[in-house]
Amino acid sequence: MGSKKGCFIVFEGIDGSGKSTQISLLQEHIQEHSINCMTTMEPSNGPIGTLLRQFLSGRIKGEETTLTALFAADRLDHLNNPVNGICKLLDDGIAVLSDRYVFSNYAYQSVSVPLEWIMKCNEMANEIVRPDCHIFIDVSPETAMERVTRGRHQTDIYETKERLTDVRDRYLDLIHRMEDVENIIIVDGNRSPQEISDDIWAKVCHYFV
Ligand SMILES: Nc1ncnc2c1ncn2[C@@H]1O[C@H](COP(=O)(O)OP(=O)(O)O)[C@@H](O)[C@H]1O
Ligand SMILES: Cc1cn([C@H]2C[C@H](O)[C@@H](COP(=O)(O)OP(=O)(O)O)O2)c(=O)[nH]c1=O
């Protein structure tokens, strides 16, 4: 579906793994080569993403199948919305860096919802666009928790050491199982932001130079 022209790179990892930090650094690298590059995230800034953030903060309660379906629906809106959707940006030749995509749904929601059903919910998104590459930033749950709680009074519903430990294990298992189908790079996130960024650039620069 669609005629993708821009490069689509997705960052994955547990909360606090350093995704947004690395997305900004990669965007700078890409723009240094005079390539138009936009960053985006899931949950998106659209109506379903805004609703999801209220569930994530605990302000409203919902059960996990509802959240699973909402994450998948938000993803379709994030892809297809005609104003600033990922497909529109890629079709315009813009490189897109997204903080999370389908693997987040698989890893986070499969803790309590059958993975097969989550994959079905994401079939349409995978048909619309598969990332050129997924970058998984791997950090220990201890490091992640230390980072997400630093200077914050409140945490989101998934930001517990137990949940992040389970989610990280699920990510690693899924990456292993899907290495023939998806292009996935695992990056050690327990280094300085600059070292990680240099490593990522060395692995993805071939898309841009
Ligand atoms: N490599 C790193 N080493 C130490 N702290 C980091 C590193 N990368 C990010 N941080 C810090 O950890 C916190 C979470 O990083 P962030 O990039 O927002 O992660 P995420 O988007 O995955 O939640 C921020 O305070 C950030 O400044
Ligand atoms: C996109 C997506 C996110 N999530 C969760 C992961 C995070 O806990 C939260 C996103 O919150 P966010 O504040 O963006 O966290 P982070 O800094 O780690 O990216 O939503 C899912 O559980 N399933 C999904 O499909």
Side-chain angles (χ1 to χ4, degrees):
M1 249 186 247
S3 53
K4 187 172 91 62
K5 291 186 234 143
C7 182
F8 182 33
I9 296 183
V10 168
F11 281 72
E12 293 283 357
I14 57 176
D15 299 60
S17 54
K19 295 181 289 10
S20 19
T21 304
Q22 292 305 320
I23 284 176
S24 300
L25 292 169
L26 180 57
Q27 184 184 32
E28 281 172 25
H29 265 301
I30 295 170
Q31 287 175 338
E32 276 163 18
H33 289 81
S34 306
I35 294 166
N36 203 345
C37 175
M38 303 276 283
T39 68
T40 186
M41 70 182 117
E42 294 186 359
S44 74
N45 288 325
I48 307 167
T50 305
L51 173 63
L52 273 165
R53 290 200 184 275
Q54 297 191 49
F55 282 107
L56 290 168
S57 69
R59 197 162 156 246
I60 50 177
K61 309 266 178 241
E63 53 95 35
E64 285 280 321
T65 49
T66 310
L67 288 180
T68 301
L70 284 173
F71 280 120
D74 179 47
R75 188 158 300 116
L76 290 171
D77 182 45
H78 191 207
L79 284 168
N80 290 330
N81 92 71
V83 183
N84 60 354
I86 292 173
C87 292
K88 161 97 174 60
L89 298 175
L90 295 174
D91 284 347
D92 289 347
I94 298 169
V96 177
L97 309 181
S98 180
D99 192 334
R100 304 189 178 281
Y101 195 58
V102 293
F103 271 93
S104 286
N105 223 172
Y106 303 160
Y108 279 79
Q109 275 63 57
S110 68
V111 171
S112 41
V113 176
L115 178 62
E116 294 65 32
W117 184 67
I118 305 170
M119 288 186 155
K120 277 209 170 69
C121 292
N122 282 285
E123 263 172 16
M124 188 62 81
N126 280 323
E127 274 176 36
I128 295 169
V129 62
R130 276 184 195 270
D132 293 280
C133 143
H134 308 255
I135 298 173
F136 176 71
I137 305 182
D138 192 25
V139 295
S140 69
E142 290 79 11
T143 301
M145 280 307 292
E146 203 263 311
R147 289 185 192 166
V148 297
T149 51
R150 198 186 301 151
R152 267 170 57 184
H153 300 296
Q154 277 195 314
T155 46
D156 283 355
I157 54 171
Y158 300 137
E159 290 174 341
T160 65
K161 192 176 152 211
E162 295 66 34
R163 182 75 176 214
L164 293 186
T165 301
D166 200 341
V167 170
R168 175 173 176 261
D169 290 346
R170 283 166 192 279
Y171 262 125
L172 291 171
D173 181 50
L174 280 157
I175 290 168
H176 179 64
R177 283 163 56 181
M178 297 180 78
E179 62 192 357
D180 294 337
V181 192
E182 300 282 351
N183 183 18
I184 310 166
I185 295 169
I186 302 181
V187 169
D188 175 6
N190 300 294
R191 296 171 289 168
S192 73
Q194 197 54 53
E195 277 177 292
I196 301 167
S197 174
D198 290 346
D199 188 8
I200 291 175
W201 181 243
K203 288 176 167 126
V204 303
C205 63
H206 63 95
Y207 292 113
F208 307 103
V209 292

